[in-house]
Amino acid sequence: MKLYNTLTRSIEELKPLEDDMVRMYSCGPTVYDHAHIGNLSAYVFADTLRRAISLSIPRIEHVMNYTDVDDKTIRRSREEYAKEEPQRALRLLTDKYITVFNNDMQRVGNDIGAVTFVRATDPATIE
């Protein structure tokens, strides 16, 4: 498989850094509202790319993040959960929209079981 390498600005053969495994990272949503079809198209592309790579490379690890803290998530959590303590309000909001996002991903046919999702606020993500 050949892909465009933005670093070298050329088309190159995909060569795993390890013999039989590719690691793939793709940006995920900021979880404060519903995704629209324009947002979902990026995730459909990532899913399609992962599936295509897996046809020729036996193992692929795909990680996608949820951006669960930023100005939009904080603002929306204060609006929707005004009576809650700020950290709890943020968690309630982001949990809600993570569930919505995962359901939308499945509805468009993405294999979310093949993706490891991480939150931007997870300590392991921060390290």
Side-chain angles (χ1 to χ4, degrees):
M1 171 181 283
K2 292 183 179 185
L3 298 172
Y4 182 76
N5 182 335
T6 56
L7 181 62
T8 64
R9 297 182 184 204
S10 62
I11 297 173
E12 299 176 11
E13 188 74 29
L14 174 64
K15 296 177 188 167
L17 296 176
E18 296 180 32
D19 290 336
D20 65 344
M21 183 172 65
V22 167
R23 287 189 169 96
M24 177 177 159
Y25 170 83
S26 56
C27 292
T30 301
V31 284
Y32 72 101
D33 205 344
H34 295 271
H36 55 70
I37 194 65
N39 301 131
L40 288 171
S41 66
Y43 312 124
V44 170
F45 175 80
D47 184 73
T48 303
L49 178 61
R50 188 195 67 256
R51 290 176 194 231
I53 291 169
S54 71
L55 294 174
S56 60
I57 298 172
R59 293 181 20 217
I60 182 161
E61 291 181 3
H62 182 185
V63 175
M64 181 183 292
N65 75 292
Y66 300 118
T67 300
D68 61 344
V69 63
D70 77 337
D71 292 345
K72 292 177 266 187
T73 57
I74 292 168
R75 186 176 322 111
R76 182 64 59 88
S77 69
R78 287 178 179 162
E79 293 168 4
E80 289 194 25
Y81 301 99
K83 294 183 180 186
E84 297 289 343
E85 181 270 326
Q87 287 182 324
R88 177 161 166 67
L90 185 62
R91 188 64 179 223
L92 289 168
L93 178 85
T94 57
D95 284 352
K96 171 184 171 180
Y97 285 107
I98 284 171
T99 299
V100 168
F101 175 76
N102 289 341
N103 289 338
D104 288 346
M105 291 275 282
Q106 289 177 310
R107 277 192 210 104
V108 297
N110 284 13
D111 180 6
I112 65 169
V115 181
T116 300
F117 292 96
V118 296
R119 289 174 176 262
T121 57
D122 284 344
T125 306
I126 297 168
E127 292 176 356

